[in-house]
Amino acid sequence: QVQLVESGGGLVQPGGSLRLSCAASGENFNNYALAWFRQAPGKGREFVAAISWRSEHTLYEDFAKGRFTISRDKNTVNLQMYSLKPEDTAVYYCAAKIEDFYGLRHTINYDYWGQGTQVTVSS
């Protein structure tokens, strides 16, 4: 049974850092792109970043560029977040998409989802 489990969320002060991790299990994910999305209260689920199965390609939404780094080690995908802002507060989800590396910004194109981990940025 395919499972994606996020960890690493929590409460952090503005300007702080967090490292999220997502462990995928149940099959070999080396033919999948892995990604992070987030959903803030009252908003839809939005794209954060994605990485190809060989880690040769990455894609970032504008708000994440220069502050967030996505990385991958086999079936684990990480999101290192620096200089966090209150507007980064959201539930962060990891997701897996069967290769090809197109349509990565849209939730409907993903095959599997984790349950999410809460990130709260507040003083």
Side-chain angles (χ1 to χ4, degrees):
Q1 184 173 145
V2 172
Q3 290 188 328
L4 279 67
V5 180
E6 302 95 336
S7 62
L11 176 64
V12 64
Q13 294 183 343
S17 301
L18 281 174
R19 183 178 176 87
L20 306 182
S21 183
C22 174
S25 63
E27 67 179 86
N28 190 343
F29 282 85
N30 65 357
N31 291 324
Y32 288 73
L34 298 177
W36 290 94
F37 288 76
R38 70 184 189 182
Q39 187 165 14
K43 294 186 176 181
R45 194 168 296 185
E46 68 174 342
F47 176 75
V48 178
I51 188 166
S52 63
W53 74 278
R54 293 181 178 179
S55 300
E56 73 270 55
H57 303 296
T58 58
L59 180 67
Y60 293 92
E61 197 63 31
D62 285 345
F63 70 81
K65 293 177 180 177
R67 294 195 298 126
F68 296 2
T69 301
I70 190 169
S71 62
R72 180 173 182 169
D73 183 10
K74 297 183 180 179
N75 292 344
T76 299
V77 61
N78 303 301
L79 187 70
Q80 179 68 57
M81 303 185 292
Y82 296 101
S83 301
L84 286 163
K85 305 173 181 179
E87 53 263 42
D88 295 318
T89 295
V91 177
Y92 284 71
Y93 298 88
C94 66
K97 177 184 182 295
I98 299 173
E99 200 178 16
D100 62 39
F101 204 67
Y102 296 98
L104 294 172
R105 297 179 182 272
H106 304 290
T107 61
I108 59 173
N109 294 320
Y110 285 79
D111 302 287
Y112 304 107
W113 291 88
Q115 82 286 356
T117 186
Q118 177 71 49
V119 172
T120 302
V121 185
S122 177
S123 60

